Amino acid sequence: MRYLKNIWKIALRELLIIRRNHIYRFCMVLFPMLVLVFFTSLMDEGLPTSLPVAVVDQDNTSTSRSLVRLLDGFQTSHVVAHYPTYSDARNAMQHGEIYGFLHIPKGTTEALLASRQPKIAYYYTNTTMTAGALVMKDLKTVATLGSAAVGQAMLKARGLTDAQIQTLLQPIRIDLHQIANPWSNYNVYLSTVMVPGIFFLFIFLITAYSLGTEMKFCTSKDWMAQAEGNSIVALLGKFLPQTCIWLALIYAYEWYVFFHLGFPHQGSAWMLVLLGLVQVMSAQGFGIFVFGLMPSLRMSLSVCSLWAVLSISMAGSAFPVMGMDAPLQSLSWLFPLRHYFMLYQICVFNGFPLLEAWFHFAALVAFLLLPWFVLGKIKNAMLNYVYIP
């Protein structure tokens, strides 16, 4: 009972600290909410639309003009210019005015009608990978459909049926089924890892900051005295209010993206609750552990920042971990965001039971328990260390 009273007193003390220090309000409420709104509204349409492309139509026939209209009709591409030469279009692409262009040389229609297989070239820039990939897909589709349309007309003139024409033009027919995210919505792919990744960053930083400021403002001895020298009581009381605030933020994020915005999720509501809980607790455990390893405000904040930034690359969302080198694959297990992402992907996105992701759940629990190994060092630092800027 005495321990519970001490935890409560320290929790009230921490609430007063949070109330007086503006950094907590900015980093625990304002900035995370801005990040959430920014990323989800940045890609609210799911895919980039009306990406600027151009055309070099040196053939200038009804067939070439129909190809241009077809390209302009795609959702992701918009023909913004017609250039007379290849050099003009290339210069525009190099200056960032367009993402790609279609080059239709003179005599294309004549060669198509004579079955001489003319060459239609398309060029795109991969400086921006998303835009380049989408533009490339549209340009390739236009080139394929253009030749197919002419071939279909010629085969019909020879008396072939539609089924025979379809077999000749497309021997292999692709039957595509995209599960979980059939819209290929980039918001679903990116926001569900970028926003939690930045939340991890803020939790890491605030956890290390709240411990470091106890030493900086010479309040650490008073804090340990209220806990009667018990490091576990001191940490539980100090981080209880922060945990409640972080949980409220995480659950607000989950409600917003999964229920308000309608992001696909196959898992139950209880799985979302568990996911948010282990996210907050593992992040706080890692932040406490880093400060325990190096009881310095500056060094612990630097390590937490570095680890959080690297986590976004090592999570496996933008680039699959299985495609990385073997040392990097092993290193990815040391990042809490990686296990959070796998737990989300397996149990929420695809709806598999928790048993299928037990190892990642256990890894997050292990991050939560890391402070156990540095309790003595944290107590020693709070009682004996002198803060060095």
Side-chain angles (χ1 to χ4, degrees):
M1 193 67 180
R2 186 176 80 253
Y3 292 149
L4 293 179
K5 289 182 179 179
N6 291 339
I7 291 174
W8 179 250
K9 287 192 301 182
I10 296 172
L12 293 177
R13 171 182 178 273
E14 185 66 18
L15 285 174
L16 292 177
I17 294 174
I18 294 174
R19 181 183 176 184
R20 291 195 301 263
N21 195 330
H22 298 295
I23 292 179
Y24 288 99
R25 290 199 292 273
F26 278 102
C27 293
M28 298 181 72
V29 180
L30 181 60
F31 290 157
M33 295 303 294
L34 288 177
V35 167
L36 172 60
V37 174
F38 172 77
F39 277 102
T40 54
S41 61
L42 179 67
M43 299 173 286
D44 58 346
E45 295 183 357
L47 283 174
T49 58
S50 300
L51 297 171
V53 297
V55 173
V56 180
D57 186 5
Q58 296 174 333
D59 195 38
N60 197 24
T61 62
S62 59
T63 301
S64 64
R65 288 192 292 271
S66 67
L67 293 178
V68 175
R69 289 193 298 270
L70 180 62
L71 176 62
D72 196 32
F74 286 119
Q75 181 181 7
T76 54
S77 298
H78 175 51
V79 178
V80 297
H82 290 72
Y83 294 104
T85 64
Y86 162 83
S87 298
D88 295 333
R90 184 192 63 186
N91 290 333
M93 187 168 65
Q94 290 174 339
H95 284 85
E97 299 173 8
I98 56 176
Y99 287 110
F101 65 91
L102 181 66
H103 182 209
I104 306 175
K106 187 174 180 60
T108 297
T109 302
E110 179 183 354
L112 273 173
L113 296 176
S115 300
R116 290 200 300 264
Q117 292 185 334
K119 293 182 179 179
I120 297 177
Y122 55 86
Y123 303 85
Y124 60 94
T125 174
N126 251 348
T127 304
T128 304
M129 292 188 65
T130 300
L134 293 174
V135 166
M136 184 274 292
K137 183 183 68 173
D138 288 351
L139 292 171
K140 184 178 181 180
T141 302
V142 166
T144 303
L145 292 179
S147 61
V150 176
Q152 184 180 24
M154 294 176 59
L155 293 172
K156 273 192 174 182
R158 295 177 183 177
L160 274 69
T161 64
D162 289 340
Q164 291 172 324
I165 293 172
Q166 182 68 26
T167 302
L168 291 173
L169 293 179
Q170 192 177 16
I172 299 176
R173 187 173 184 179
I174 299 175
D175 191 9
L176 179 64
H177 299 274
Q178 295 184 139
I179 61 173
N181 186 11
W183 316 275
S184 297
N185 191 323
Y186 276 62
N187 205 1
V188 173
Y189 284 132
L190 297 179
S191 293
T192 50
V193 68
M194 288 297 297
V195 175
I198 297 177
F199 285 174
F200 268 103
L201 169 64
F202 283 123
I203 298 174
F204 286 172
L205 294 179
I206 286 298
T207 301
Y209 174 81
S210 61
L211 291 173
T213 50
E214 292 286 354
M215 296 172 57
K216 179 178 180 180
F217 299 125
C218 301
T219 59
S220 56
K221 293 181 180 180
D222 175 67
W223 172 42
M224 296 304 297
Q226 290 191 14
E228 299 181 2
N230 191 317
S231 301
I232 297 178
V233 171
L235 291 175
L236 288 176
K238 185 168 187 62
F239 289 104
L240 179 61
Q242 293 186 25
T243 302
C244 294
I245 295 173
W246 288 124
L247 285 175
L249 176 69
I250 296 299
Y251 292 146
Y253 152 76
E254 291 181 346
W255 174 85
Y256 180 70
V257 298
F258 293 115
F259 297 99
H260 179 70
L261 296 182
F263 282 20
H265 65 286
Q266 308 297 326
S268 65
W270 289 110
M271 189 62 231
L272 292 175
V273 171
L274 179 62
L275 184 66
L277 180 63
V278 294
Q279 176 185 1
V280 172
M281 301 294 285
S282 63
Q284 288 183 314
F286 181 82
I288 296 171
F289 176 72
V290 170
F291 183 85
L293 287 180
M294 46 193 75
S296 165
L297 178 60
R298 182 178 69 249
M299 289 299 298
S300 59
L301 288 178
S302 298
V303 172
C304 286
S305 301
L306 175 63
W307 214 251
V309 171
L310 290 177
S311 296
I312 298 175
S313 299
M314 301 299 294
S317 174
F319 189 87
V321 171
M322 64 183 66
M324 299 179 183
D325 294 336
L328 292 179
Q329 292 186 32
S330 302
L331 186 64
S332 67
W333 295 98
L334 302 179
F335 294 87
L337 181 60
R338 167 63 179 170
H339 302 286
Y340 166 87
F341 178 66
M342 292 302 297
L343 198 61
Y344 155 75
Q345 191 178 53
I346 295 172
C347 298
V348 177
F349 193 67
N350 291 306
F352 290 106
L354 183 61
L355 186 63
E356 299 291 334
W358 71 268
F359 186 82
H360 299 286
F361 178 79
L364 290 176
V365 174
F367 281 109
L368 163 63
L369 298 177
L370 282 178
W372 184 266
F373 299 99
V374 293
L375 288 176
K377 193 168 183 180
I378 291 177
K379 180 179 179 180
N380 182 47
M382 294 300 164
L383 295 177
N384 301 313
Y385 282 25
V386 177
Y387 174 74
I388 301 177

